[in-house]
């Protein structure tokens, strides 16, 4: 983390990707990445029977159409739902993702999505895969799927986050949303990501050193 980083802040306008990204485009891109990485197909159920008209249901299948599990996405913000962004289990093979994205003004308009919400959606989808693909008979796997060892519970979610910041992936998400992101905007987003991760690493190193001093000092 360079001292010059604080002297040269990145304009917030450069980091705003909502004009270039839409919810449908992001979902299409996310599912395409999922298929390329894991060989899994995600298809939408046209009759979701959800708890709200905005809720969508998707099924995760292998290439030979064997269903592995399903997940609901409740993507839009509402006054009657939690503001938390999370993945939760409903059964051993059905989970849900809760998001809080502002709905479009009109039903036929695309839904702009921020970079933060895009990262969150990729992250929570990682939790979906980790839950649905887990060996539920393994000793460390709890009945609700929440008992994963802490050192692996965030591996796949953070792995999925990584792809959002790849130039080709960002442009693909924008293309599927009907737009194109300027190169300087992508570079600004990647630079801010580098700064954020550097600061996060420094914080974790400090906390680790503090813990060693507090609990192992003579």
């Amino acid at each position: 983390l360079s001292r010059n980083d604080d002297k040269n802040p990145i304009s917030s306008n450069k980091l705003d990707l909502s004009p270039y990204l839409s919810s449908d485009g992001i979902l299409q891109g996310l599912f395409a990445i999922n298929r390329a990485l894991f060989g899994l197909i995600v298809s939408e159920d046209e009759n979701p029977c959800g708890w709200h008209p905005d809720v969508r249901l998707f099924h995760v299948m292998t290439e030979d159409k064997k269903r592995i599990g399903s997940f609901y996405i409740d993507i839009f913000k509402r006054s009657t739902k939690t503001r938390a962004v999370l993945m939760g289990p409903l059964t051993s093979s059905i989970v849900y993702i809760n998001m809080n994205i502002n709905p479009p003004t009109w039903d036929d308009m695309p839904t702009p999505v921020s970079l933060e919400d895009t990262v969150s959606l990729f992250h929570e989808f990682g939790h979906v895969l980790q839950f649905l693909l887990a060996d539920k008979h393994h000793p460390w796997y709890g009945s609700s799927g929440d008992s994963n060892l802490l050192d692996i519970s965030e591996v796949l979610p953070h792995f999925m986050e990584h792809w959002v910041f790849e130039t080709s992936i960002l442009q693909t998400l924008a293309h599927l949303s009907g737009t194109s992101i300027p190169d300087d905007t992508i570079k600004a987003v990647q630079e801010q990501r580098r700064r954020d991760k550097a600061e996060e690493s420094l914080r974790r190193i400090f906390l680790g050193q503090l813990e060693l001093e507090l609990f192992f000092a003579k």
Side-chain angles (χ1 to χ4, degrees):
L1 187 62
S2 169
R3 292 182 179 179
N4 291 328
D5 289 345
D6 291 334
K7 298 177 182 178
N8 299 288
I10 298 173
S11 169
S12 59
N13 291 334
K14 288 281 189 182
L15 303 177
D16 181 15
L17 297 189
S18 57
Y20 311 105
L21 303 175
S22 70
S23 58
D24 285 340
I26 290 170
L27 287 174
Q28 289 181 53
L30 173 58
F31 299 156
I33 294 168
N34 165 71
R35 186 169 187 175
L37 290 173
F38 306 111
L40 298 175
I41 300 171
V42 178
S43 64
E44 183 166 10
D45 193 317
E46 297 301 327
N47 298 292
C49 298
W51 51 90
H52 188 275
D54 290 337
V55 175
R56 301 166 69 176
L57 174 62
F58 297 87
H59 304 297
V60 181
M61 299 174 288
T62 59
E63 293 280 3
D64 58 359
K65 305 298 183 180
K66 178 182 177 182
R67 186 180 296 185
I68 296 172
S70 306
F71 63 96
Y72 289 92
I73 293 184
D74 193 349
I75 200 167
F76 294 130
K77 182 185 295 182
R78 294 193 303 277
S79 60
T80 55
K81 61 181 277 192
T82 178
R83 298 181 66 179
V85 175
L86 53 84
M87 184 286 292
L90 296 173
T91 71
S92 61
S93 60
I94 302 176
V95 298
Y96 68 91
I97 295 175
N98 185 71
M99 300 289 295
N100 276 285
I101 297 173
N102 289 321
T105 305
W106 304 103
D107 290 342
D108 58 349
M109 292 179 62
T111 305
V113 180
S114 67
L115 175 61
E116 180 181 3
D117 284 329
T118 302
V119 173
S120 294
L121 185 53
F122 272 65
H123 181 100
E124 299 308 327
F125 184 73
H127 279 299
V128 168
L129 292 179
Q130 189 150 292
F131 184 96
L132 296 181
L133 297 175
D135 179 359
K136 296 178 175 59
H137 300 290
H138 197 281
W140 56 254
Y141 188 92
S143 59
S144 67
D146 297 330
S147 304
N148 294 356
L149 294 175
L150 289 177
D151 59 350
I152 65 168
S153 63
E154 294 291 333
V155 171
L156 193 50
H158 282 277
F159 173 75
M160 294 303 297
E161 277 186 29
H162 161 80
W163 299 102
V164 178
F165 296 91
E166 291 293 305
T167 301
S168 60
I169 298 300
L170 276 174
Q171 288 293 21
T172 296
L173 297 179
H175 175 73
L176 291 171
S177 301
T179 65
S180 178
I181 306 175
D183 290 340
D184 60 340
T185 297
I186 290 180
K187 289 179 181 178
V189 166
Q190 292 171 335
E191 173 60 18
Q192 187 60 51
R193 170 76 166 180
R194 182 191 69 81
R195 296 183 184 188
D196 290 344
K197 286 301 178 182
E199 184 175 346
E200 179 183 336
S201 296
L202 289 174
R203 177 179 177 274
R204 291 182 182 275
I205 291 171
F206 166 76
L207 292 176
Q209 290 176 332
L210 180 62
E211 183 176 8
L212 289 173
E213 292 177 9
L214 289 175
F215 293 100
F216 294 97
K218 293 182 179 180

